[in-house]
């Protein structure tokens, strides 16, 4: 038997085949047309691009791994969260999908919270422009002719599921990021829906991530050489899927993701919101489990920005910073190049360098950028702690985890050991495949979603702890002062 995970990203799709023991059998990727930005702060994508990438990836696997594809029993889906895919009559796509990093609906967020004072209490989260519901509020105000035609609102992976199965279904972890879910009850909220002029009739059916959500259409099964009754699992939003892939499903288990954006993810046995700290408190893809996230919008993207400015590659910048490192530098960087979520919830925040001098060369700027992102993770840890969450060792994932210095900075500032898994793919596609196995076989997630072997553990450096605590306090003082000066 084999199981297939499909991870739908904005830049492309990855499909991964695994066997019953969790060993990878094969994979394929397909690029998608990049999102467009018709105005500053906007980000949109044509849903047809996701489907095109899915079909190309699976067409490739069906040719390269014919026998393994024929043995597929279950398929799991992972996808980028929060996207507003609006469907009209006969499942017509009414407009390009408004993506997770689109910031146009800041005013609508304030209007939603004013219209429903209990919004944060029900949703367990602040109204943020990245979430789905404020995007619909924006459409209602600015594109009323589109809003009037809405039959269904689907998240990106739910749209792909519709084309795979013909069913309107979403699972809890992705649904929690819409701002329409009563996250504690794991059910749609009529009050939250009403704020955006919608009802339950506009929403897909809800299932758990480990549960079946339908079966693959016969014509697609024939196209890809699969058998009958291939089960499609509920799946997971991208971060919950990554947690399933790396085995972070028990309370207190978590990871730090140093990708384009940054995520500090911790699993919880209960629903623990902290809206004052802009903590993301969502359902996990595992039944009766929740998770919290601190989310920063520009993690390795900050170093990528410096790479463009200096003409040095990201690995080169990281190497320069490491070669000259002897503790905190004079320069401090605020990594708010795209605004910020946790803890500030400010789409209009902007990045800053402070403490520049004639000595501020490329190496020192690179170190400051890495420290600034690290302090942003420390902010996330602080507000997670205020919600009553603690954690021990964290696993490190994402491209930034290749930098020994960055991992040392994070371990020291979070005062937490950071573990590097053995070489392998522990991302959303693997997590989705594991969910597909659970749905098809009724398997216990605790037995399927195990953690990988650990290659190396980076311990906090006690000699640097006090110096970085002082530098972090300076960092924290800068945001309110700079925002006040920008008014």
């Amino acid at each position: 038997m084999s199981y297939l995970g499909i991870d739908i990203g904005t830049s492309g799709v990855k499909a991964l085949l695994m066997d019953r023991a969790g060993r990878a059998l094969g994979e394929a990727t397909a690029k998608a047309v990049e999102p467009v930005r018709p105005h500053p702060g906007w980000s949109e994508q044509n849903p047809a691009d996701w489907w095109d990438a899915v079909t190309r990836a699976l067409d490739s696997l069906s040719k390269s791994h014919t026998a393994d594809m024929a043995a597929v029993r279950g398929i799991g889906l992972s996808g980028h969260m929060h996207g507003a895919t609006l469907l009209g009559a006969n499942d017509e796509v009414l407009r390009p999908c408004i993506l997770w990093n689109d910031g146009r609906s800041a005013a609508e967020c304030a209007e939603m919270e004013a219209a429903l004072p209990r919004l944060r209490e029900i949703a367990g989260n602040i109204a943020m422009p990245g979430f789905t519901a404020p995007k619909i509020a924006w459409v209602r105000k600015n594109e009323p002719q589109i809003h009037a035609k809405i039959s269904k609102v689907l998240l990106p992976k739910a749209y792909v599921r519709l084309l795979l199965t013909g069913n309107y279904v979403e699972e809890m972890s992705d649904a929690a990021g819409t701002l329409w879910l009563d996250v504690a009850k794991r059910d749609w909220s009529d009050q939250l829906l009403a704020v955006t002029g919608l009802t339950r009739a506009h929403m897909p059916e809800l299932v758990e991530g480990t549960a079946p959500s339908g079966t693959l259409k016969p014509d697609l099964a024939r196209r890809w050489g699969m058998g009958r009754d291939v089960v499609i699992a509920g799946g997971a939003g991208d971060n919950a899927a990554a947690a399933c892939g790396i085995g972070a499903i028990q309370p207190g288990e978590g990871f730090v993701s140093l990708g384009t954006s940054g995520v500090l993810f911790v699993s919880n046995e209960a629903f623990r919101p902290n809206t004052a700290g802009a903590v993301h408190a969502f359902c996990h893809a595992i039944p009766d489990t929740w998770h919290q996230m601190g989310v920063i919008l520009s993690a390795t993207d900050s170093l990528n920005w410096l790479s463009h400015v200096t003409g040095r590659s990201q690995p080169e910048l990281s190497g320069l910073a490491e070669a000259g490192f002897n503790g905190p530098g004079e320069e401090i960087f605020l990594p708010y190049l795209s605004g910020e979520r946790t803890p500030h919830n400010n789409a209009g925040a902007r990045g800053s360098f402070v403490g520049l001098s004639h000595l501020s060369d490329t190496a020192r700027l690179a170190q400051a950028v890495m420290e600034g992102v690290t302090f942003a993770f420390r902010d996330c840890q602080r507000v997670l702690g205020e919600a009553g969450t603690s954690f021990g060792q964290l696993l490190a994932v994402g491209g930034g985890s290749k930098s020994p210095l960055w991992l040392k900075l994070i371990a020291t500032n979070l005062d937490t050991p950071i573990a590097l898994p053995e070489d392998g793919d522990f991302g959303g596609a693997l997590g989705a495949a594991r969910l597909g196995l659970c749905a098809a076989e009724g398997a216990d997630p605790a037995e399927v979603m195990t953690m990988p072997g650990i290659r190396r553990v980076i311990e906090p450096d006690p000699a640097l702890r006090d110096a970085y605590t002082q530098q972090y306090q300076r960092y924290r003082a800068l945001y309110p002062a700079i925002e006040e000066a920008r008014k």
Side-chain angles (χ1 to χ4, degrees):
M1 302 300 175
S2 58
Y3 307 90
L4 177 65
I6 304 172
D7 183 29
I8 302 138
T10 55
S11 60
V13 165
K14 179 173 182 177
L16 181 144
L17 280 165
M18 74 172 197
D19 64 14
R20 182 66 173 79
R23 293 184 292 259
L25 301 172
E27 64 180 58
T29 59
K31 290 185 177 181
V33 177
E34 289 294 321
V36 297
R37 296 183 176 274
H39 299 283
W42 293 26
S43 183
E44 300 182 346
Q45 196 168 36
N46 185 346
D49 295 335
W50 313 327
W51 180 243
D52 176 66
V54 167
T55 56
R56 284 188 284 115
L58 269 59
D59 286 347
S60 176
L61 272 181
S62 69
K63 294 175 182 176
S64 62
H65 293 75
T66 303
D68 293 327
M69 288 288 276
V72 169
R73 289 282 302 274
I75 299 175
L77 302 176
S78 165
H80 51 101
M81 298 178 68
H82 312 306
T85 310
L86 311 185
L87 303 184
N90 302 315
D91 298 332
E92 169 198 7
V93 176
L94 297 176
R95 68 173 326 282
C97 176
I98 307 176
L99 297 177
W100 63 274
N101 56 347
D102 187 291
R104 76 184 71 180
S105 60
E108 285 72 26
C109 290
E111 292 165 4
M112 288 177 63
E113 294 204 349
L116 182 61
R118 292 187 61 238
L119 183 146
R120 296 187 181 187
E121 176 186 344
I122 299 169
N125 291 277
I126 297 174
M128 297 183 178
F131 292 171
T132 318
K135 298 177 173 72
I136 302 304
W138 183 92
V139 171
R140 187 185 192 186
K141 182 194 298 183
N142 295 278
E143 299 175 349
Q145 73 284 3
I146 296 293
H147 188 277
K149 294 179 181 179
I150 294 174
S151 175
K152 293 287 183 185
V153 181
L154 300 182
L155 295 164
K157 83 172 189 299
Y159 178 73
V160 170
R161 186 197 324 274
L162 172 65
L163 299 182
L164 290 171
T165 68
N167 297 339
Y168 306 103
V169 181
E170 191 49 274
E171 53 74 41
M172 302 297 176
S173 69
D174 226 352
T178 62
L179 212 70
W180 288 313
L181 196 76
D182 185 323
V183 178
K185 296 180 179 178
R186 302 173 88 94
D187 189 19
W188 297 123
S189 164
D190 295 315
Q191 288 178 279
L192 293 174
L193 286 164
V195 174
T196 55
L198 301 179
T199 69
R200 287 174 183 259
H202 295 98
M203 295 294 105
E205 175 189 350
L206 288 169
V207 300
E208 294 291 346
T210 54
S213 68
T215 56
L216 184 64
K217 291 179 178 178
D219 61 319
L220 295 175
R222 288 192 297 271
R223 173 175 177 170
W224 296 318
M226 298 181 187
R228 298 176 57 188
D229 300 325
V230 175
V231 174
I232 311 290
D238 50 9
N239 286 301
C244 293
I246 208 161
I249 64 169
Q250 301 296 335
E253 294 176 342
F255 64 85
V256 56
S257 175
L258 266 168
T260 301
S261 59
V263 176
L264 182 59
F265 181 109
V266 185
S267 293
N268 309 111
E269 78 284 357
F271 177 50
R272 290 202 193 110
N274 177 10
T275 55
V279 170
H280 293 42
F282 292 163
C283 302
H284 208 322
I286 310 302
D288 301 318
T289 308
W290 286 258
H291 70 80
Q292 293 169 313
M293 293 188 296
V295 178
I296 62 178
L297 294 178
S298 298
T300 61
D301 212 26
S302 293
L303 203 59
N304 186 48
W305 165 79
L306 187 63
S307 173
H308 286 307
V309 171
T310 62
R312 304 287 189 99
S313 69
Q314 290 192 45
E316 188 178 4
L317 290 172
S318 178
L320 287 170
E322 186 159 6
F325 179 76
N326 60 0
E330 291 185 349
E331 299 83 359
I332 299 177
F333 176 71
L334 273 61
Y336 309 138
L337 301 177
S338 300
E340 193 57 291
R341 287 199 186 177
T342 311
H344 303 305
N345 185 33
N346 184 356
R350 290 296 177 261
S352 302
F353 271 116
V354 176
L356 298 178
S357 72
H358 290 295
L359 298 176
S360 300
D361 58 10
T362 302
R364 292 174 65 139
L365 295 180
Q367 178 180 326
V369 166
M370 296 167 75
E371 288 174 340
V373 172
T374 299
F375 291 147
F377 278 120
R378 189 164 178 169
D379 268 345
C380 292
Q381 181 193 40
R382 175 174 54 83
V383 293
L384 287 175
E386 291 170 357
T389 294
S390 60
F391 46 82
Q393 180 173 281
L394 293 171
L395 277 77
V397 297
S401 65
K402 296 176 182 177
S403 167
L405 174 60
W406 220 336
L407 296 180
K408 178 180 179 179
L409 292 173
I410 293 172
T412 300
N413 276 276
L414 301 190
D415 197 22
T416 301
I418 303 296
L420 275 175
E422 293 176 350
D423 290 339
D425 187 340
F426 309 108
L430 176 62
R434 287 176 161 186
L435 290 164
L437 190 161
C438 290
E441 310 295 352
D444 182 352
E447 296 178 0
V448 173
M449 298 172 193
T450 55
M451 285 194 172
I454 301 303
R455 173 165 50 96
R456 181 186 172 201
V457 176
I458 295 87
E459 298 287 347
D461 186 343
L464 294 172
R465 184 178 294 128
D466 290 346
Y468 269 114
T469 294
Q470 294 174 18
Q471 189 80 329
Y472 173 61
Q473 296 306 323
R474 299 185 190 102
Y475 169 91
R476 284 195 65 192
L478 287 172
Y479 171 78
I482 290 174
E483 284 302 301
E484 179 65 27
R486 291 179 65 234
K487 290 181 180 178

